[in-house]
Amino acid sequence: MKRKMIMVLMGICILTHISLENVLAFTQYTCLDCPDGMKMVREPRADDIRYQYKTVNGVNYRRLYNFTTRKPLSDWERI
């Protein structure tokens, strides 16, 4: 029973270590404006892409728009 309990605890520790290692892996960039070359941590993020809407003379239009880069991804289409 004691041996079985030790094996279970070792298994949990190993699985926890493996899963935390994947979560804590991130890229570090050197900050050019920071004094003494301090490290600046950046997390990768996805672009914020949503529909942008407008109404002209009572007619509704929409287009895909990248709010991160502030550029349209499609033409205006009537909805």
Side-chain angles (χ1 to χ4, degrees):
M1 181 69 176
K2 190 174 185 181
R3 180 180 167 99
K4 192 175 190 179
M5 188 69 123
I6 291 173
M7 295 300 285
V8 168
L9 288 174
M10 285 179 57
I12 291 172
C13 288
I14 290 171
L15 289 175
T16 303
H17 178 71
I18 290 171
S19 64
L20 284 178
E21 187 174 305
N22 291 336
V23 170
L24 296 177
F26 54 88
T27 306
Q28 288 188 345
Y29 299 92
T30 303
C31 179
L32 299 176
D33 298 331
C34 299
D36 301 328
M38 294 171 51
K39 294 291 183 181
M40 179 175 60
V41 178
R42 291 187 184 175
E43 296 179 14
R45 303 264 184 198
D47 286 341
D48 182 17
I49 298 174
R50 293 179 281 154
Y51 279 107
Q52 188 178 40
Y53 297 92
K54 76 174 182 177
T55 302
V56 177
N57 296 329
V59 179
N60 295 325
Y61 294 92
R62 73 175 182 183
R63 69 175 173 186
L64 276 178
Y65 192 79
N66 187 339
F67 286 92
T68 306
T69 60
R70 297 182 181 143
K71 294 182 180 177
L73 300 175
S74 66
D75 294 329
W76 290 105
E77 62 183 26
R78 197 171 181 175
I79 55 172

